[in-house]
């Protein structure tokens, strides 16, 4: 599916394109990991490299994307840049997602389309 196909699909479903873009950006594992780390407090790129386990260039590219979306911002201190969540609403969104995942148990993770685990006979029979 191309980006244009995704936009057409979203339009046909009456899903608001900005919301689709937001959830798509949050669905990228590295960006979500960065946001989760920044929910704990501001961090330098080197801190995010350690926390997320990706290369500095990859972290920087994701931070640039998140900055363009106004989801994160930074402040300079000397030669270092400290990144932080630009929107406090992200804390509410992440908290709500955590609560939703706790309530649904393994159901989301076992989703054949988006889940990360394959359903076993035991899980399917529940």
């Amino acid at each position: 599916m191309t980006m244009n196909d995704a936009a057409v699909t979203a339009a046909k479903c009456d899903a608001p394109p900005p919301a689709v873009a937001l959830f798509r950006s949050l669905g990228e594992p590295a960006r979500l990991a960065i946001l989760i780390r920044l929910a704990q407090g501001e961090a330098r790129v080197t801190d995010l490299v350690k926390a997320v386990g990706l290369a500095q260039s990859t972290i920087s590219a994701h931070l640039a994307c998140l900055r363009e979306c106004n989801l994160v911002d930074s402040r300079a201190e000397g030669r270092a840049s400290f990144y932080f969540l630009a929107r406090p609403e992200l804390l509410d969104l992440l908290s709500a997602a955590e609560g939703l995942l706790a309530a649904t148990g393994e159901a989301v993770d076992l989703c054949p389309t988006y889940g990360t685990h394959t359903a076993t006979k035991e899980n399917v029979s529940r």
Side-chain angles (χ1 to χ4, degrees), residues 1-124:
M1 177 182 278
T2 66
M3 291 296 279
N4 288 338
D5 292 338
V8 169
T9 301
K12 287 181 184 176
C13 298
D14 291 331
V20 171
L22 171 66
F23 283 105
R24 184 171 289 133
S25 71
L26 296 177
E28 206 292 322
R31 284 194 293 272
L32 182 57
I34 290 168
L35 291 173
I36 289 170
R37 169 53 189 86
L38 292 177
Q40 299 169 7
E42 62 183 18
R44 299 168 300 160
V45 171
T46 56
D47 302 324
L48 294 169
V49 166
K50 291 176 188 172
V52 178
L54 295 174
Q56 179 272 326
S57 59
T58 303
I59 296 292
S60 293
H62 285 300
L63 285 168
C65 174
L66 292 166
R67 282 189 78 171
E68 288 173 10
C69 297
N70 294 323
L71 296 177
V72 302
D73 204 351
S74 66
R75 65 173 183 83
E77 188 175 301
R79 293 184 352 175
S81 292
F82 288 84
Y83 290 86
F84 56 91
L85 296 181
R87 303 297 318 170
E89 299 89 343
L90 275 170
L91 292 171
D92 297 333
L93 181 61
L94 294 172
S95 179
E98 188 175 85
L100 181 60
L101 289 169
T104 61
E106 293 183 16
V108 174
D109 204 26
L110 294 174
C111 171
T113 305
Y114 297 109
T116 59
H117 295 93
T118 305
T120 63
K121 286 184 181 180
E122 176 187 326
N123 290 331
V124 171

